[in-house]
Amino acid sequence: MNIGGLQKMTLLDYPGKVACTVFLTGCNLRCPFCHNAGLVLPEQQTPGMTSEALLDFLAERRGKLDGVCITGGEPTIHKDLPQLIGEIRKLGFSVKLDTNGTNPQMLASLLEAGLLDYVAMDIKNSPRRYAETCGGVDVLKAVESSKDLLLRGTVDYEFRTTLCKPFHDPRGIRELAQWIAGAKRYFLQGFVDSGNLVGEGAEPLSGEEMQALAYVAQVFVPNTQLRGL
């Protein structure tokens, strides 16, 4: 498994934990507003850290870090993800997984094995505009399965949406929030142009526009919060 990056400490990525963040390469979506083109696009990926080097790093951080956040790219495209998480847990760390929800079989397997402590799942948009927001990839059925799995409450979780023009508007956020009604928590976060996007045409919303969308979502998910403002 190629590990594309490592943030050695974060107080933000894993709620309530002092953690590190592990970035895995590769993704099955091409969201135009994605700011991690270097992880997502094969032609931009570079050799990174090995799993063995990561585990050595973590072994030295026992007692200093509480958890490990595994993100991407999309981690669940890697068949050896369960093995990596198992090794991380053997070192005594709790694990948070960031996922786009397109591999419900992998997610269910990880949950059934007790390998995850927290899941953050991206909900890209309302069902009506899902494929468009993912770069033309139709993954709605798989995402719905993962969404329903988390709503059962077998693991602590959050849903989150990155907001940007022209993909998100009040109608779409209303439909999206209704789709995940009853969710434990839902975060809306603003699009940030890293200068190395997967696509083009995305523009940030203002703080006022984001707040208005949060009010719309709160009708169906009362615990809707803005992140990063």
Side-chain angles (χ1 to χ4, degrees):
M1 182 183 297
N2 186 43
I3 297 168
L6 172 65
Q7 184 177 356
K8 294 184 177 181
M9 191 183 78
T10 175
L11 301 177
L12 301 175
D13 290 346
Y14 195 150
K17 302 286 186 183
V18 179
C20 68
T21 300
V22 178
F23 298 86
L24 302 186
T25 58
C27 187
N28 56 332
L29 302 183
R30 293 295 182 266
C31 307
F33 50 87
C34 177
H35 65 277
N36 281 330
L39 295 172
V40 170
L41 301 178
E43 65 271 18
Q44 293 194 26
Q45 293 173 19
T46 58
M49 176 183 283
T50 64
S51 300
E52 292 76 16
L54 171 65
L55 294 172
D56 287 343
F57 164 80
L58 291 174
E60 296 175 353
R61 293 303 190 277
R62 283 182 288 190
K64 299 177 182 178
L65 298 176
D66 305 316
V68 177
C69 176
I70 300 179
T71 188
E74 173 49 41
T76 64
I77 67 173
H78 298 282
K79 294 181 179 179
D80 49 352
L81 179 64
Q83 179 182 351
L84 176 63
I85 294 177
E87 294 297 325
I88 292 172
R89 291 184 66 88
K90 285 180 184 178
L91 293 172
F93 297 99
S94 61
V95 175
K96 169 181 176 266
L97 176 70
D98 291 351
T99 180
N100 60 26
T102 58
N103 192 341
Q105 295 82 11
M106 171 70 82
L107 180 59
S109 177
L110 292 171
L111 293 176
E112 289 168 5
L115 291 175
L116 301 177
D117 301 283
Y118 194 98
V119 177
M121 179 174 156
D122 287 322
I123 298 285
K124 303 295 185 180
N125 211 332
S126 66
R128 177 174 51 88
R129 300 189 67 182
Y130 220 91
E132 172 192 359
T133 312
C134 294
V137 185
D138 185 4
V139 292
L140 185 60
K141 185 176 180 180
V143 168
E144 183 150 31
S145 295
S146 294
K147 180 261 296 183
D148 290 343
L149 184 60
L150 293 183
L151 285 174
R152 294 175 196 154
T154 57
V155 68
D156 202 8
Y157 71 93
E158 68 183 55
F159 293 119
R160 61 191 187 188
T161 300
T162 299
L163 299 174
C164 63
K165 300 174 184 177
F167 299 102
H168 301 101
D169 55 32
R171 177 188 173 189
I173 293 300
R174 183 179 299 107
E175 294 170 349
L176 189 164
Q178 189 170 12
W179 191 39
I180 63 169
K184 186 172 184 178
R185 58 180 72 88
Y186 179 40
F187 291 98
L188 301 177
Q189 53 198 34
F191 160 71
V192 177
D193 188 345
S194 67
N196 187 26
L197 302 179
V198 169
E200 57 185 22
E203 298 180 11
L205 276 69
S206 69
E208 292 77 11
E209 289 171 319
M210 289 180 59
Q211 186 64 69
L213 294 182
Y215 290 145
V216 170
Q218 285 168 354
V219 174
F220 299 100
V221 185
N223 189 14
T224 297
Q225 304 174 47
L226 295 177
R227 176 178 278 159
L229 287 186

